[in-house]
Structure formats: structure tokens, C-alpha cells
Amino acid sequence: MKLLDSQWQKLEPLLIGKQGDPGAKGRDNRLFIDAVLWIISSKSIWRSLPAEFGKWNTTYMRFRRWNECDVWRQLEQGMYDDPLLKSMFHEIVEYGDRQTGRIRQRLARRANKVVYNSSLGKVGGARKNSPGVDESTSHWVGLVMRGLPV
């Protein structure tokens, strides 16, 4: 997938970071969108983005910022007169939603790990138990003992 000149002419005035906008300027919005379309069409990871699109990490972080601000969804909704462009942005929105879901899962796993480790008495990865206690079995013994009546 790559933008045609006619599609770019429709899209360019709608994008953030163009000349005349306050704040930071996007160096090349068209190249950026082509890079995102390349990632989606190739079903590739960001690190494999060809160098012609620029640094992969810079492109990914810009993609994430636009995703968090819902720019992709707004662009999709604005393309009611061009079905092909609308479908391209729909794929970007779906991809962005999957990325957001993965990020949320990662954060939830990290939070659960912190809660789990604190329930074991771990502080900064180390246990509070004395050095003589066998850590491999003390956790499981504690779990088993919780279910037994005293």
C-alpha cells in the first residue's frame, strides 16, 4: 500500500504537523504515512522498517502518539468520499487498536507481577526470609497451608 498523488492531495490539509500549525512540524507526513502503510501491508515488526522511511523507532513513536490522540480514527472518518483511502485508514485504526490492547495487557501483567511479588514478601526481587529457608518450596507450602483449617 502506498499513497497515490490524488489521495495525498485530499489528505495533506487534514494532517497535523504541516506548515502553519503551531508546535512541532512533521518532517515528511507523506513518508510517515507510507511507512505506516508499509508496516501494515507487510505485517512486519517496526524494527524491520526499511531505512528509506527513516528511523524505525521515531516512526513508531509518532505512530503511537497519533494513535493515542485518535488521529487515525479521525482521518478514517474524514475519508467518506474515497473508499480506498478510507479502507487504508480503517486498517491502520484496527492495527492501532491491537497495539493499544497489547500495551494494556503488558501493563496489566506488570501490575499483577508486582502484586504477586509483594504477596510473596519480595522487595526489589529479594525475599525477606532468612537465607536458610528453601525458597523453591516455601511459597508452595504457604499456598497449601492457607487452605487448611487451623
Side-chain angles (χ1 to χ4, degrees):
M1 284 192 278
K2 205 167 192 172
L3 290 176
L4 303 173
D5 289 336
S6 60
Q7 293 171 325
W8 176 244
Q9 289 173 353
K10 290 178 189 177
L11 189 57
E12 187 177 21
L14 303 174
L15 297 178
I16 57 177
K18 61 187 174 295
Q19 287 296 77
D21 283 353
K25 307 288 181 262
R27 274 202 342 211
D28 190 346
N29 280 334
R30 185 172 184 171
L31 186 65
F32 166 63
I33 291 178
D34 281 340
V36 173
L37 290 172
W38 186 89
I39 288 290
I40 290 170
S41 64
S42 68
K43 295 180 173 47
S44 197
I45 60 173
W46 286 95
R47 286 179 196 251
S48 64
L49 187 70
E52 68 191 57
F53 293 114
K55 295 179 182 176
W56 73 266
N57 195 41
T58 304
T59 306
Y60 170 70
M61 292 308 294
R62 188 173 178 192
F63 169 82
R64 256 186 83 178
R65 283 192 306 271
W66 282 31
N67 194 44
E68 289 168 0
C69 294
D70 234 9
V71 173
W72 301 117
R73 200 172 309 276
Q74 292 168 10
L75 290 171
E76 177 195 12
Q77 292 168 353
M79 295 296 124
Y80 53 85
D81 61 338
D82 189 336
L84 181 59
L85 203 51
K86 186 173 181 73
S87 72
M88 285 180 178
F89 281 110
H90 181 72
E91 288 186 44
I92 293 173
V93 167
E94 286 183 340
Y95 178 81
D97 289 345
R98 286 192 305 271
Q99 290 286 97
T100 301
R102 286 186 199 115
I103 290 168
R104 286 187 182 138
Q105 285 176 341
R106 231 178 281 130
L107 291 173
R109 279 195 303 266
R110 193 174 297 151
N112 288 340
K113 184 177 179 181
V114 168
V115 169
Y116 176 75
N117 285 340
S118 67
S119 72
L120 294 177
K122 290 184 178 181
V123 177
R127 291 187 60 115
K128 292 181 182 177
N129 293 350
S130 64
V133 175
D134 180 14
E135 293 180 13
S136 63
T137 57
S138 66
H139 169 66
W140 297 107
V141 170
L143 288 175
V144 171
M145 297 307 286
R146 284 187 198 157
L148 297 175
V150 180

